[in-house]
Amino acid sequence: MLRSRPILRAMTGQAMPDLSHETLRNALRAQSLFEDKTWQLSPEAWPLTAAQVAELDAIGAACLEFHHALETLYLRAAAGKNLLRNKPLLAPWAADYLDRGKPAGLIAHARHPRNRGAFPTVLRPDLLLTDEGFVMSELDSVPGGIGLTAFLNRLYGGEDCAAAGATAAAAGIIPAAGSGIIPAGGTAPAAAVSAAAAGTDVAGILGAGDAMIRNFHDSLAALRPDLRSPLIALVVSDEAATYRPEMRWLAGQLQLQGKRVFCLEPGELFPLGSTLCLDIEGNPEKIDILYRFFELFDLANIRIADAILESWQAGELAIAPPMRHFQEEKLGFALFHHHLLADFWAETLGRRTLQLLKKLIPMTWVIDPAPLPPGAVLEGPRVGGRALTDWRQLAAATQKERDLIIKISGYHETAWGARSVVLGSDCSREEWQAGIGNAVKDAPANPHVLQEYKKPRRVRHRVYDRERQPREVDGRLRLCPYFFNLGGKPVLSGALATFCPPDKKIIHGMTDAALLPGRLAALANPKSQ
């Protein structure tokens, strides 16, 4: 009976108490996970309504369905096969866009029959909260923040979150964290429905009860169902070394649960026959599953890359996310909006998924400088009321017309961390012209995309000021939900909110942003509503 009381309080909307500045600071300082990282602190998690959590669940399903359709598009386009059932549609140019600049060996690997149906084990859409609702600026298949979000879930959920969540599940009030089951009939209280969609504890934290950690491991272990206790190596390249502390923390947490998970640098792996191994106390141990925390452009910098591919080819090693370059290209969004492929997406995607993705994905175009015949125009934005005939004409756009983002599609060191992003309305005319020039020049090997910029709306949340007092301030929000692919189902297991000052146009992790886990609004502190 003692356990039922907090559950009942949760269902009636009573929030967990604020976390003090001292508690937060001490918790962060005690973890190597946060070496050289600082951000603004907040006394409470980010509140999400039940409707928003339900929408996140739908977004996860749509993202995985998009990956299925993108695979079909790429493989059939590359093979010169028809894309539609009852009328002709060939699109070899779609595969050409996705293959540009990629080595032949990587292309062959991506098309290998054994890779058919291989999708990322972790999906993280980057969602901006706008006046029209959520907008998906990117879909990340090699996301950082898994360990960070897991830690914040624990911190803001309180010490007893796992036990309380388990008790709630056993009582039938809240399904097990990460279950992804929504009660039939839709008559359950909002907290219970949201908990079912995302997995929460009595504090309302999405992904409580260590769902991030548990589902991360289970999504990987499922790649080798023949093994009871597979050895998993989390391999973090030097390019991605800033994320190594959180991956080491994640591996350490799983080791405490008796899992054989190790975070390694590429140089710590070595081949032994057709297997890939690591050294454990002087003995070679075979790696069963390799989780690559590096994007594919970085493969050339990894000495052991050939051995990784050979071990996979021999059937000794599973790799996640799969080394399929087309799953890491931002121009997938441009293909989604391409008018020549409209019938393909309508036929391949479910109706609800199609409508949701049309709402979520901003208009996106591939910047392709291929010459046009006389009288033809580009599919893209208009400048001065006129359609474009050359991408360089974007240079004449007014600042109002430059609510557009240029970014490299993928397979490049600047393709992650917003390093290639040029926001037209927030830069000088010279910077805008340079961005266009680079995109046109690099098109043969490194395609760029042009995307409509959807400005995040102003929202309010409490953060600690310089006097360490909580104060409600204006800001803008990026929400990154994490979905783990379990049995072909994307399971929402946590959400990381980045709350930035209102003058920041490009939202990402920064010292003047607050990083927070998501929680049910019904359970949040009333002061934030």
Coordinates of all heavy atoms in Angstrom, one line a residue, residues 45-76:
A45 N 12.2 19.2 -15.2 CA 12.3 18.7 -16.5 C 11.3 19.4 -17.5 O 10.5 20.2 -17.0 CB 11.9 17.2 -16.5
W46 N 11.5 19.2 -18.8 CA 10.7 19.9 -19.8 C 9.3 19.3 -19.8 O 9.2 18.1 -20.1 CB 11.3 19.8 -21.1 CG 10.6 20.7 -22.1 CD1 9.5 20.4 -22.9 CD2 10.7 22.1 -22.2 NE1 9.0 21.5 -23.5 CE2 9.7 22.6 -23.1 CE3 11.6 23.1 -21.6 CZ2 9.6 23.9 -23.5 CZ3 11.4 24.4 -22.0 CH2 10.5 24.8 -22.9
P47 N 8.2 20.1 -19.7 CA 6.9 19.5 -19.7 C 6.4 19.3 -21.1 O 6.5 20.1 -22.0 CB 6.1 20.6 -19.0 CG 6.8 21.9 -19.3 CD 8.3 21.5 -19.4
L48 N 5.8 18.1 -21.3 CA 5.1 17.8 -22.6 C 3.7 17.3 -22.3 O 3.4 16.6 -21.4 CB 5.9 16.6 -23.3 CG 7.3 16.9 -23.7 CD1 8.0 15.6 -24.0 CD2 7.3 17.8 -24.9
T49 N 2.8 17.8 -23.2 CA 1.4 17.4 -23.0 C 1.2 15.9 -23.4 O 2.0 15.4 -24.1 CB 0.5 18.3 -23.8 OG1 0.7 18.0 -25.2 CG2 0.7 19.8 -23.5
A50 N 0.1 15.4 -23.0 CA -0.2 14.0 -23.4 C -0.3 13.9 -24.9 O 0.1 12.9 -25.5 CB -1.5 13.5 -22.7
A51 N -0.9 14.9 -25.5 CA -1.0 14.9 -27.0 C 0.3 15.0 -27.6 O 0.5 14.3 -28.7 CB -1.9 16.1 -27.4
Q52 N 1.3 15.7 -27.1 CA 2.6 15.8 -27.7 C 3.3 14.5 -27.5 O 4.0 14.0 -28.5 CB 3.4 16.9 -27.0 CG 3.0 18.3 -27.4 CD 3.8 19.4 -26.6 OE1 4.1 19.2 -25.4 NE2 4.0 20.5 -27.2
V53 N 3.2 13.8 -26.4 CA 3.8 12.5 -26.2 C 3.2 11.5 -27.2 O 3.9 10.7 -27.8 CB 3.7 12.0 -24.8 CG1 4.2 10.6 -24.6 CG2 4.4 12.9 -23.8
A54 N 1.9 11.5 -27.4 CA 1.3 10.6 -28.4 C 1.8 10.9 -29.8 O 2.0 10.0 -30.6 CB -0.2 10.8 -28.3
E55 N 2.0 12.2 -30.1 CA 2.5 12.6 -31.4 C 4.0 12.1 -31.6 O 4.3 11.6 -32.6 CB 2.5 14.1 -31.6 CG 2.9 14.5 -33.0 CD 2.8 16.0 -33.2 OE1 2.4 16.8 -32.3 OE2 3.1 16.4 -34.4
L56 N 4.7 12.2 -30.5 CA 6.1 11.6 -30.6 C 6.1 10.1 -30.9 O 6.9 9.7 -31.7 CB 6.8 11.8 -29.2 CG 7.2 13.3 -28.8 CD1 8.0 13.3 -27.5 CD2 7.9 14.0 -29.9
D57 N 5.2 9.4 -30.3 CA 5.1 8.0 -30.6 C 4.8 7.8 -32.1 O 5.3 6.9 -32.8 CB 4.0 7.4 -29.7 CG 4.3 5.9 -29.4 OD1 5.4 5.6 -29.1 OD2 3.3 5.1 -29.5
A58 N 3.9 8.6 -32.6 CA 3.5 8.5 -34.1 C 4.7 8.9 -34.9 O 4.9 8.3 -36.0 CB 2.3 9.4 -34.4
I59 N 5.5 9.9 -34.5 CA 6.6 10.3 -35.3 C 7.7 9.2 -35.3 O 8.3 9.0 -36.4 CB 7.2 11.6 -34.6 CG1 6.3 12.8 -34.9 CG2 8.6 11.9 -35.2 CD1 6.7 14.1 -34.1
G60 N 7.9 8.5 -34.2 CA 8.8 7.4 -34.3 C 8.4 6.3 -35.3 O 9.3 5.8 -36.0
A61 N 7.2 6.0 -35.3 CA 6.7 5.0 -36.3 C 6.9 5.5 -37.7 O 7.2 4.7 -38.6 CB 5.2 4.6 -36.0
A62 N 6.6 6.8 -37.9 CA 6.7 7.3 -39.2 C 8.2 7.4 -39.7 O 8.5 7.1 -40.9 CB 6.2 8.8 -39.3
C63 N 9.1 7.6 -38.8 CA 10.5 7.7 -39.1 C 11.0 6.3 -39.5 O 11.8 6.2 -40.5 CB 11.4 8.2 -37.9 SG 11.2 9.9 -37.6
L64 N 10.6 5.2 -38.8 CA 11.0 3.9 -39.2 C 10.4 3.5 -40.6 O 11.1 2.9 -41.4 CB 10.7 2.9 -38.1 CG 11.2 1.5 -38.4 CD1 12.7 1.5 -38.6 CD2 10.8 0.6 -37.2
E65 N 9.1 3.9 -40.8 CA 8.5 3.6 -42.1 C 9.2 4.3 -43.2 O 9.3 3.8 -44.3 CB 7.0 3.9 -42.0 CG 6.2 3.4 -43.2 CD 4.7 3.6 -43.0 OE1 4.2 3.9 -41.9 OE2 4.0 3.5 -44.1
F66 N 9.6 5.6 -42.9 CA 10.4 6.3 -43.9 C 11.6 5.6 -44.3 O 12.0 5.5 -45.5 CB 10.7 7.7 -43.4 CG 11.6 8.6 -44.2 CD1 11.1 9.2 -45.4 CD2 12.9 8.7 -44.0 CE1 11.9 10.0 -46.2 CE2 13.8 9.4 -44.8 CZ 13.2 10.1 -45.9
H67 N 12.3 5.0 -43.3 CA 13.6 4.3 -43.6 C 13.3 3.1 -44.5 O 14.0 2.8 -45.4 CB 14.2 3.9 -42.3 CG 15.3 4.8 -41.8 ND1 16.5 5.0 -42.5 CD2 15.4 5.6 -40.7 CE1 17.2 5.9 -41.9 NE2 16.6 6.2 -40.8
H68 N 12.2 2.4 -44.2 CA 11.8 1.3 -45.0 C 11.6 1.7 -46.5 O 12.1 1.1 -47.4 CB 10.5 0.6 -44.5 CG 10.7 -0.3 -43.4 ND1 10.9 -1.7 -43.5 CD2 10.8 -0.1 -42.0 CE1 11.1 -2.3 -42.3 NE2 11.0 -1.3 -41.4
A69 N 10.9 2.8 -46.7 CA 10.6 3.3 -48.0 C 11.8 3.8 -48.7 O 12.0 3.6 -49.9 CB 9.5 4.4 -47.9
L70 N 12.7 4.5 -47.9 CA 14.0 5.0 -48.5 C 14.8 3.8 -49.0 O 15.5 3.9 -50.1 CB 14.7 5.8 -47.5 CG 16.0 6.5 -48.0 CD1 15.7 7.5 -49.1 CD2 16.7 7.2 -46.8
E71 N 14.9 2.7 -48.3 CA 15.6 1.6 -48.7 C 15.1 1.1 -50.0 O 15.8 0.8 -51.0 CB 15.6 0.5 -47.7 CG 16.3 -0.8 -48.1 CD 16.0 -2.0 -47.2 OE1 14.9 -2.4 -47.1 OE2 17.0 -2.6 -46.7
T72 N 13.7 0.9 -50.1 CA 13.1 0.5 -51.4 C 13.4 1.4 -52.5 O 13.8 0.9 -53.6 CB 11.6 0.4 -51.2 OG1 11.3 -0.6 -50.1 CG2 10.9 -0.1 -52.4
L73 N 13.4 2.7 -52.3 CA 13.7 3.7 -53.3 C 15.1 3.5 -53.8 O 15.4 3.4 -55.0 CB 13.4 5.1 -52.8 CG 13.9 6.2 -53.7 CD1 13.1 6.2 -55.0 CD2 13.7 7.6 -53.0
Y74 N 16.0 3.5 -52.9 CA 17.4 3.4 -53.2 C 17.8 2.1 -54.0 O 18.4 2.2 -55.1 CB 18.3 3.5 -52.0 CG 19.8 3.3 -52.3 CD1 20.5 4.3 -53.0 CD2 20.4 2.1 -52.0 CE1 21.9 4.1 -53.3 CE2 21.7 1.9 -52.3 CZ 22.5 2.9 -52.9 OH 23.8 2.6 -53.3
L75 N 17.4 1.0 -53.5 CA 17.7 -0.3 -54.1 C 17.1 -0.5 -55.5 O 17.7 -0.9 -56.4 CB 17.4 -1.5 -53.2 CG 18.2 -1.6 -51.9 CD1 17.7 -2.7 -51.0 CD2 19.7 -1.7 -52.1
R76 N 15.8 -0.1 -55.6 CA 15.2 -0.2 -56.9 C 15.7 0.8 -57.9 O 15.8 0.5 -59.1 CB 13.6 -0.1 -56.7 CG 13.0 -1.3 -55.9 CD 11.5 -1.3 -56.0 NE 11.0 -1.7 -57.3 CZ 10.9 -3.0 -57.7 NH1 11.3 -4.0 -56.9 NH2 10.4 -3.2 -58.9

